[in-house]
Amino acid sequence: MLLSKLLGERIKEKPGDATSISHIYLLRGGYIRQVSNGIYSLLMPAKRIATKIEDIIREEMDAIDGQEVMFPVVLPADLWQESGRFESVGSELVRFKDRAGKDMLLGMTHEEAAVHLARTEARSYAQYPFMIYQIQTKFRDEPRARGGLIRVREFTMKDAYSFHTSQEDLEQYYDRCLQAYHNVFRKAGVPEVVCVKSDTGMMGGKVAHEFMLLTDIGEDTIIICDSCDYQSNMEVATSKLDKYEIAEEEIKENHTPEIKDIDSLAKFFDVPAHRLLKAAVFEVEGRKEPLIVFIRGDLQVNESKLSKIVQANVTPFTNYEDSNLCFGFMGPVGLEAGDAQIVFDSSLEGETNLICGANKVDYHLSGVSVPRDLKVETFHDVAEVNEGHTCPCCDGKLQFKRGVEVGNIFQLGTKYTESMNMTYTDKDGKAKTPIMGCYGIGVGRLLACIIESHHDEYGPIWPISVAPWQVHICVLGSKKVDMNAVGSDIYNRLNNKWEVIMDDRNMGPGAKFADADLLGIPVRIVVGERNLENGQVELMTRDKSVKKLVNITDIEQEVADLINELKNNM
């Protein structure tokens, strides 16, 4: 490839609307151009990188017996109506009618399409287990598109779906896929991606993991232990809470005028917040009655955990005027909650001598003992983890990190196969419902995250496995020598063995080196007049860790050795 023919201008200035490193360099380097909010065209360098990422993914999916297929982008609504997601998913799902008036949608994920295909092709237990996958464009009407390719509306994704006859078989395959994902990220040059437990969200199922690149631009909070390998998404993280053995006292009613918040209450009684029992009230989707959560005063309710408990989406309660609850002074002792559902957090189990609302304006109770005064049948973990909490697996302390999700895997169970009436005939002749797993990787987001991990102040530093080209020849100008002829000779010698781009433009060395840095190609050859007098060129790596003069006659072997070294160091 000649750089003079490469479509896409490289830009010196930082684009005003770009904030993340990857977004800045993708725009400055001529990799992407915005078409609309969250929608981008990929130019040749980005397309070549994306193709290499896809090839790595295919290699790993094929190694675990994946079968590549292709589902439609446009799907009939009745498939999603079978699963129940046509109504339950919000405006992120693009719905429309075709010319015949039939309800249609743009696929943002393809569980329904996978079941539709598999239920017609896998009717016997002898065909199980199997996994089908695709790499395809999807559309999600993301309300917060940001960060270039980090969060977009139109995106290319690998999604895979496995089908099994037993939970044990799913779990075994799930572990194989988990390892395959680690292989993908290592081969793509980001082995630092970590695997964390996560919430299954709208995908359904019981077990899920996310693969996160730890970076300050990340929107997700990742919980990491400072002493062991415990890692979790905030939505499902747990911790070991300190328990306080305090002698029981008699319940006492206390006048607390206008004391409605935790900080004021702790100051009024001169106690730490963990000696308080507070109430949090939520609205539950599809239900009229409120949901009341009682939790220790120093903790907050994790809405994702709570949604799992009640099997519905929850939001903070706002309809105060139509409620008989005594907001600001609510407590579990003597509470008349009507039909409201009540959840007790695990932090309260065994706690004594607590202070809570008296369900009476301007009054609180002290001396409340959970074992003595409350008849709680079940406690649930619905609390958010705080930084500094004790790790649930050891005595280490939990730390908060920011991360970007580059992949996810789910044990879906029978959520989709059951709702869509997919069955197979077992060896005993009975109809059984298969169990599913789901596995996704965002190609464009992974491309952007590679930049986030591998860059300097001048541009990206592409790993050799995904670089748009492997070798970049910078031909400097001369009034005495036909430098392009020398560069072309080197180009022709190398181009049969590696992917090579040559800068043949009539530009100064500063501009050429700046563009070379923005293209981020791992191996660079600088053809300059002074070194040519000695029959040499300069050979270097993009990260400047290698920089040496080599004889032109040895250039093929020198490049081969350097590329092999880069591959071995991945």
Side-chain angles (χ1 to χ4, degrees):
M1 181 71 202
L2 298 180
L3 193 52
S4 62
K5 303 298 184 183
L6 181 64
L7 187 66
E9 182 183 358
R10 279 148 301 284
I11 304 168
K12 183 177 180 180
E13 295 78 17
K14 172 186 173 296
D17 59 344
T19 54
S20 69
I21 291 294
S22 60
H23 194 189
I24 291 169
Y25 285 148
L26 285 171
L27 289 173
R28 286 191 56 205
Y31 294 89
I32 64 173
R33 291 294 181 257
Q34 184 168 328
V35 178
S36 183
N37 182 35
I39 301 174
Y40 293 87
S41 291
L42 302 188
L43 283 84
M44 186 179 183
K47 177 57 180 171
R48 290 174 69 92
I49 296 165
T51 297
K52 292 184 177 183
I53 292 173
E54 292 173 11
D55 289 342
I56 290 171
I57 293 171
R58 283 190 176 93
E59 181 181 23
E60 289 300 320
M61 293 301 99
D62 293 347
I64 56 173
D65 305 318
Q67 302 177 48
E68 186 169 5
V69 299
M70 183 66 76
F71 302 122
V73 176
V74 176
L75 296 167
D78 53 16
L79 287 183
W80 281 56
Q81 287 166 345
E82 286 185 54
S83 70
R85 289 205 298 178
F86 188 72
E87 292 79 18
S88 64
V89 175
S91 56
E92 302 95 331
L93 180 65
V94 174
R95 303 163 173 88
F96 64 97
K97 293 183 183 293
D98 66 12
R99 64 174 61 197
K102 183 180 176 68
D103 286 322
M104 307 291 286
L105 59 91
L106 294 182
M108 55 188 281
T109 180
H110 277 75
E111 284 74 14
E112 288 83 358
V115 172
H116 176 265
L117 176 65
R119 71 184 176 187
T120 63
E121 307 300 325
R123 299 178 183 274
S124 168
Y125 75 95
Q127 296 169 277
Y128 289 76
F130 63 92
M131 183 268 273
I132 51 180
Y133 75 94
Q134 67 166 352
I135 300 176
Q136 192 215 62
T137 298
K138 300 175 185 293
F139 188 87
R140 174 189 176 101
D141 199 5
E142 170 62 53
R144 295 176 294 115
R146 58 174 288 272
L149 299 184
I150 293 291
R151 183 178 289 279
V152 292
R153 295 196 292 161
E154 181 179 285
F155 53 96
T156 298
M157 181 177 176
K158 186 283 300 181
D159 49 330
Y161 307 94
S162 65
F163 295 80
H164 308 267
T165 58
S166 70
Q167 178 65 25
E168 180 183 15
D169 189 58
L170 168 60
E171 292 172 1
Q172 291 174 354
Y173 190 80
Y174 188 85
D175 290 340
R176 290 179 66 194
C177 199
L178 190 150
Q179 183 56 53
Y181 269 45
H182 282 302
N183 295 343
V184 167
F185 299 125
R186 173 178 54 80
K187 291 180 178 180
V190 281
E192 58 269 32
V193 167
V194 300
C195 177
V196 302
K197 295 179 181 178
S198 67
D199 181 50
T200 56
M202 76 166 188
M203 303 297 292
K206 297 180 179 180
V207 178
H209 289 81
E210 291 174 343
F211 293 82
M212 311 291 296
L213 177 70
L214 301 183
T215 169
D216 290 339
I217 70 161
E219 292 183 329
D220 294 316
T221 301
I222 310 304
I223 313 302
I224 295 178
C225 177
D226 65 3
S227 299
C228 74
D229 60 358
Y230 178 78
Q231 298 167 337
S232 177
N233 189 296
M234 171 64 89
E235 294 172 332
V236 296
T238 61
S239 63
K240 286 190 292 191
L241 296 176
D242 294 329
K243 291 293 183 179
Y244 303 92
E245 297 182 2
I246 300 178
E248 288 186 346
E249 296 182 3
E250 293 296 321
I251 292 182
K252 177 184 177 182
E253 188 175 86
N254 304 269
H255 187 220
T256 53
E258 297 298 325
I259 305 295
K260 296 183 179 181
D261 63 89
I262 290 297
D263 290 341
S264 299
L265 194 63
K267 184 177 181 180
F268 183 89
F269 283 95
D270 193 23
V271 297
H274 65 75
R275 301 315 310 144
L276 308 178
L277 186 163
K278 68 179 181 182
V281 185
F282 296 87
E283 296 178 4
V284 182
E285 186 177 50
R287 305 178 193 175
K288 295 181 179 180
E289 299 77 17
L291 169 65
I292 305 171
V293 178
F294 291 110
I295 190 170
R296 216 169 68 180
D298 59 330
L299 301 174
Q300 302 296 324
V301 175
N302 183 317
E303 292 183 16
S304 294
K305 289 183 179 181
L306 185 59
S307 294
K308 284 285 186 182
I309 298 300
V310 300
Q311 294 294 297
N313 292 328
V314 299
T315 54
F317 189 84
T318 57
N319 192 19
Y320 303 112
E321 296 179 358
D322 295 334
S323 174
N324 294 324
L325 297 173
C326 191
F327 289 94
F329 302 94
M330 198 183 315
V333 179
L335 174 66
E336 295 182 2
D339 295 326
Q341 183 177 357
I342 299 176
V343 171
F344 286 87
D345 181 63
S346 301
S347 60
L348 298 175
E349 188 169 8
E351 291 289 334
T352 58
N353 201 21
L354 298 175
I355 297 167
C356 67
N359 299 305
K360 180 179 176 182
V361 175
D362 289 342
Y363 285 89
H364 282 83
L365 301 178
S366 58
V368 173
S369 169
V370 174
R372 181 192 66 195
D373 303 321
L374 302 175
K375 306 299 182 183
V376 181
E377 295 183 358
T378 306
F379 292 90
H380 298 278
D381 174 20
V382 294
E384 277 191 357
V385 167
N386 289 341
E387 194 161 16
H389 274 181
T390 303
C391 172
C393 300
C394 71
D395 291 329
K397 297 302 180 184
L398 298 180
Q399 300 176 336
F400 285 11
K401 303 287 186 180
R402 306 300 298 173
V404 173
E405 178 190 338
V406 292
N408 50 54
I409 58 178
F410 301 85
Q411 292 184 26
L412 293 178
T414 59
K415 172 181 171 63
Y416 295 93
T417 52
E418 191 171 69
S419 63
M420 297 182 68
N421 298 313
M422 178 180 176
T423 61
Y424 65 92
T425 303
D426 204 356
K427 55 187 174 182
D428 59 6
K430 295 182 179 179
K432 299 288 182 63
T433 301
I435 302 169
M436 282 183 70
C438 170
Y439 320 90
I441 294 178
V443 175
R445 183 177 289 188
L446 179 53
L447 185 157
C449 283
I450 294 172
I451 298 180
E452 296 292 338
S453 283
H454 300 282
H455 68 271
D456 59 16
E457 60 183 305
Y458 305 109
I461 303 174
W462 294 111
I464 190 70
S465 60
V466 298
W469 293 272
Q470 297 165 322
V471 181
H472 186 140
I473 302 173
C474 282
V475 181
L476 305 185
S478 171
K479 295 181 178 180
K480 301 178 180 178
V481 182
D482 185 353
M483 302 296 284
N484 274 338
V486 178
S488 295
D489 179 65
I490 297 173
Y491 176 88
N492 291 332
R493 289 161 61 186
L494 300 182
N495 199 38
N496 291 330
K497 298 179 180 179
W498 299 287
E499 299 166 330
V500 184
I501 187 169
M502 186 176 82
D503 191 345
D504 59 327
R505 300 171 299 169
N506 184 22
M507 300 179 68
K512 290 196 172 190
F513 291 150
D515 281 0
D517 284 339
L518 285 171
L519 287 173
I521 295 163
V523 176
R524 185 182 307 175
I525 298 170
V526 180
V527 183
E529 180 181 341
R530 182 180 300 177
N531 292 326
L532 276 181
E533 294 176 355
N534 299 317
Q536 294 179 316
V537 293
E538 190 173 34
L539 180 66
M540 67 179 70
T541 54
R542 168 62 183 83
D543 65 2
K544 313 300 192 294
S545 63
V546 174
K547 190 174 184 180
K548 60 183 179 179
L549 295 176
V550 300
N551 293 327
I552 292 180
T553 55
D554 300 330
I555 191 66
E556 287 135 308
Q557 187 59 52
E558 291 283 356
V559 169
D561 291 343
L562 186 51
I563 287 178
N564 286 334
E565 181 181 342
L566 292 172
K567 289 179 177 179
N568 292 334
N569 289 337
M570 287 193 63

